[in-house]
Amino acid sequence: MLPVQPLFVLLLVGLLGLFFFGFLLVRRTVAGLNEGYNDGRN
């Protein structure tokens, strides 16, 4: 086992959290845009 610095782990977790949050936000935005576009077309 390699010695792992807690700061590095914290940074990794923070980056993963940010990436996940951004992914969810983009997915929600795209879904909302698609819904609005479909509503406007009909």
Side-chain angles (χ1 to χ4, degrees):
M1 260 325 255
L2 287 169
V4 179
Q5 282 87 9
L7 189 71
F8 178 71
V9 173
L10 207 72
L11 196 71
L12 201 66
V13 169
L15 276 173
L16 272 173
L18 266 174
F19 181 74
F20 187 65
F21 178 72
F23 172 72
L24 282 180
L25 199 71
V26 167
R27 211 178 62 170
R28 210 187 71 183
T29 303
V30 169
L33 282 174
N34 277 338
E35 208 172 288
Y37 179 68
N38 287 337
D39 281 349
R41 228 177 16 174
N42 292 337

